[in-house]
Amino acid sequence: MRAVVQDRYGSADTLEVREVDPPVPAAGEVLVRVHAAALNAYDWHFLHGDPKIARLVMGLRAPKARIRGRDFAGRVETVGAGVEGLRPGDEVYGEADGAFAEFVCAAGDAVGPKPAGLSFEEAAAVPLAANTALIGLRDVAGVGAGRTVLVNGASGGVGTFAVQLAKAFGAEVTGVCSTRNVDLVRSLGADHVIDYTRQDFTRAGRRYEVVLDLVGNHSLGAFRRAVTPTGTLVLSGGGVFEGGSLVGPMGLFLKRRLVSPFVRQRLLELPARPSRANLATLRELVDSGKITPVVDRTYPLNEVPEAMRYLEVEHARAKVVVTV
Ligand SMILES: NC(=O)c1ccc[n+]([C@@H]2O[C@H](COP(=O)([O-])OP(=O)(O)OC[C@H]3O[C@@H](n4cnc5c(N)ncnc54)[C@H](OP(=O)(O)O)[C@@H]3O)[C@@H](O)[C@H]2O)c1
């Protein structure tokens, strides 16, 4: 099968489209014929091996998982032993390493029926980003009706879902993005939009019950200034395009741990993990029209290196998708 393979850490030039053996599903896995995949900051971190400390897990000299890509939508080809509720031919979407390929093996719990009203391209844009936004707002922050929520990075892959989800939960939403994305974020339902090139929300004097950070571009103290005295700050580990870092978001996470026991604000981290239950929730939200993926550009599989360059250099808007 054709796949996008990475043999060393580096720029998008290290990605190669070549023929490799298709994966074989183990017990508890499904083999999916990929129709579309999507890019995420996750792929950027693996491409660069950034932050360097994460190489202890990703692979010291080169990534252990050689085929890039995480989000996919496609059709089930084979179902491994012990996987319930999926059959060959089912249209599915989900998360697994190695999605920039004609076939991918995914854990049964990280795959679910795709939203009926979406094309494969649109469906591939949903899993990782929307699941992160869902876990951050619903599970970590406990956002409900009437809460004031600020999303820092509202025009990105996670942020575009976060704005829509927070509105669906009944919150009053403020989105932070650059000038060219103000109209997009407003169109997603944000009640207020702050253009970060004109105003620094951490110095604007307004406080929010929940701040969801997807950028990591302020100090912990600055973020806390924008949170009410008993409000919640959720740190995702942002800082996508500042390559070459040793510890990346770990510095902010460490400060959070040190400060947390002494303050009334809830300072929390966002650990997003895929689950079939969340994929089902997201499917319902999509099919009922409450959330819609925003696709910026679509590239064919052999142009994934070009797609990565676009994501990296030009600040892609929301999602970049790959057709396979
Ligand atoms: N913890 C987890 O489990 C988890 C899961 C998924 C993602 N993440 C993290 O979440 C972050 C966001 O992911 P994503 O896929 O949404 O990334 P993305 O699509 O690249 O979005 C990045 C966002 O950051 C904004 N931005 C860039 N520079 C900025 C600046 N100087 N000031 C303010 N905003 C700025 C961009 O806005 P403009 O384009 O308008 O400038 C855009 O909205 C990443 O760091 C990723 O690693 C964490």
Side-chain angles (χ1 to χ4, degrees), residues 39-42 45 128-129 132-133 152-160 176-182 185 196-197 201 213-218 235-242 249 253 269-273 311 314-319:
L39 275 66
N40 285 287
Y42 180 90
H45 289 297
L128 193 154
T132 304
N152 187 34
S155 54
V158 180
T160 45
V176 181
C177 60
S178 63
T179 315
R180 71 191 179 105
N181 290 325
V182 166
V185 172
Y196 69 73
T197 67
F201 74 90
D213 170 54
L214 303 164
V215 187
N217 56 328
H218 294 284
L235 298 173
S236 72
V240 203
F241 299 119
E242 293 161 14
F253 283 178
E269 286 169 28
L270 201 176
R273 282 191 194 85
L311 183 82
E314 294 185 48
H315 269 221
R317 178 181 285 151
K319 300 301 301 181

Side-chain angles (χ1 to χ4, degrees), residues 5-324:
V5 184
Q6 177 193 357
D7 292 324
R8 60 194 163 90
Y9 294 119
S11 69
D13 298 338
T14 62
L15 296 172
E16 248 181 62
V17 184
R18 61 177 190 242
E19 287 290 324
V20 297
D21 291 334
V24 179
E29 291 184 340
V30 285
L31 180 68
V32 176
R33 180 184 286 271
V34 179
H35 289 280
L39 275 66
N40 285 287
Y42 180 90
D43 304 303
W44 182 92
H45 289 297
F46 266 87
L47 180 64
H48 289 268
D50 185 284
K52 288 200 175 66
I53 197 165
R55 294 186 189 188
L56 294 172
V57 181
M58 294 184 210
L60 279 182
R61 293 181 178 280
K64 288 182 214 159
R66 291 292 166 103
I67 304 177
R68 289 280 60 75
R70 180 79 187 168
D71 273 335
F72 63 83
R75 280 201 178 79
V76 174
E77 191 78 6
T78 328
V79 179
V83 178
E84 306 276 328
L86 292 172
R87 284 181 311 191
D90 284 355
E91 294 189 351
V92 293
Y93 73 149
E95 276 184 57
D97 286 332
F100 297 155
E102 289 175 295
F103 293 94
V104 68
C105 266
D109 194 42
V111 186
K114 90 173 194 5
L118 296 187
S119 64
F120 285 112
E121 284 76 13
E122 291 166 323
V126 176
L128 193 154
N131 186 46
T132 304
L134 180 67
I135 291 174
L137 293 171
R138 182 195 64 185
D139 305 343
V140 180
V143 169
R147 306 285 294 279
T148 53
V149 175
L150 178 135
V151 178
N152 187 34
S155 54
V158 180
T160 45
F161 285 110
V163 169
Q164 297 179 78
L165 282 168
K167 282 307 292 178
F169 297 153
E172 181 192 327
V173 183
T174 300
V176 181
C177 60
S178 63
T179 315
R180 71 191 179 105
N181 290 325
V182 166
D183 289 344
L184 166 72
V185 172
R186 197 167 282 129
S187 76
L188 296 173
D191 301 285
H192 317 279
V193 184
I194 296 175
D195 176 348
Y196 69 73
T197 67
R198 295 183 180 184
Q199 191 180 28
D200 175 353
F201 74 90
T202 69
R203 296 192 175 279
R206 178 157 183 209
R207 291 183 163 217
Y208 303 85
E209 288 166 289
V210 174
V211 169
L212 173 63
D213 170 54
L214 303 164
V215 187
N217 56 328
H218 294 284
S219 67
L220 188 68
F223 279 129
R224 287 188 53 219
R225 275 203 304 270
V227 179
T228 56
T230 55
T232 304
L233 170 65
V234 182
L235 298 173
S236 72
V240 203
F241 299 119
E242 293 161 14
S245 59
L246 179 63
V247 293
M250 304 304 164
L252 204 50
F253 283 178
L254 185 65
K255 280 188 202 132
R256 179 203 74 79
R257 277 178 200 209
L258 292 173
V259 171
S260 272
F262 306 103
V263 298
R264 286 196 299 149
Q265 291 167 328
R266 294 194 314 146
L267 312 178
L268 305 168
E269 286 169 28
L270 201 176
R273 282 191 194 85
S275 78
R276 204 189 288 181
N278 282 359
L279 287 168
T281 301
L282 293 169
R283 188 185 67 223
E284 281 165 26
L285 287 161
V286 170
D287 285 341
S288 62
K290 295 205 169 102
I291 61 170
T292 307
V294 178
V295 176
D296 179 356
R297 284 192 186 182
T298 304
Y299 290 81
L301 185 68
N302 58 6
E303 287 179 20
V304 164
E306 199 47 46
M308 279 307 297
R309 274 181 217 109
Y310 176 63
L311 183 82
E312 186 167 4
V313 179
E314 294 185 48
H315 269 221
R317 178 181 285 151
K319 300 301 301 181
V320 175
V321 168
V322 175
T323 49
V324 182

